[in-house]
Amino acid sequence: MPEDYNALLLLGIPTRAARFSGCRNRSPARDALASEEPFAYLYLGEIYSETKRLPQAIETLEKYIRLVPNPEEVPRDVSRAYYLLGQDLRRLGRLEEAQKALVNSQRFREAKFRYDAQHIFDEPAVPAGR
């Protein structure tokens, strides 16, 4: 079993579960989210969106956006969160809020593109044959 928190979280095995191994009524998702780890909320929000649990998806994605300490460091993830949030708000008929979320999604997506374009050749080239 991996020791890395992110790997455990993606496997659905929160590190806090060991503390509560005797409690059968605990939710692994709730344990993982108790840590206030931002990206856990992004993945849970995606699951809620995909399973059409829109109010939960909106709440979870908004929490992810609030918890991200430096959104400019993870523009792809923040763009994804805003996109999903916009789509879910649109499905619920909250069009003005949806439009704002989609504009933010585009803003972060464009920032990621600009960063990639500026740094495309930053890594040293590897000679052929290696």
Side-chain angles (χ1 to χ4, degrees):
M1 180 169 303
E3 293 295 323
D4 179 61
Y5 176 82
N6 294 336
L8 291 169
L9 186 61
L10 291 173
L11 290 170
I13 307 167
T15 56
R16 302 178 118 200
R19 295 184 195 160
F20 304 104
S21 60
C23 182
R24 300 203 184 272
N25 294 329
R26 298 226 25 118
S27 162
R30 189 174 309 248
D31 286 341
L33 295 179
S35 69
E36 298 294 312
E37 187 70 39
F39 90 98
Y41 288 94
L42 175 59
Y43 293 126
L44 185 58
E46 287 180 340
I47 290 168
Y48 283 148
S49 291
E50 288 176 19
T51 57
K52 306 296 186 245
R53 293 184 275 180
L54 303 182
Q56 294 94 333
I58 291 168
E59 178 183 351
T60 305
L61 292 166
E62 286 175 338
K63 184 151 188 178
Y64 165 77
I65 292 165
R66 281 192 312 272
L67 286 175
V68 173
N70 298 310
E72 61 280 350
E73 291 180 6
V74 286
R76 180 175 294 144
D77 290 344
V78 174
S79 175
R80 177 82 178 139
Y82 274 119
Y83 176 79
L84 291 170
L85 179 61
Q87 293 300 313
D88 294 340
L89 288 165
R90 188 179 56 76
R91 287 183 184 108
L92 290 179
R94 295 164 56 181
L95 301 181
E96 189 174 317
E97 293 171 88
Q99 184 61 30
K100 288 178 185 177
L102 293 171
V103 166
N104 280 326
S105 174
Q106 182 175 355
R107 182 170 55 94
F108 279 98
R109 188 174 59 249
E110 288 172 356
K112 174 66 174 144
F113 176 79
R114 280 191 304 276
Y115 176 85
D116 288 347
Q118 290 171 351
H119 299 282
I120 193 166
F121 297 109
D122 286 357
E123 294 183 29
V126 177
R130 283 198 182 183

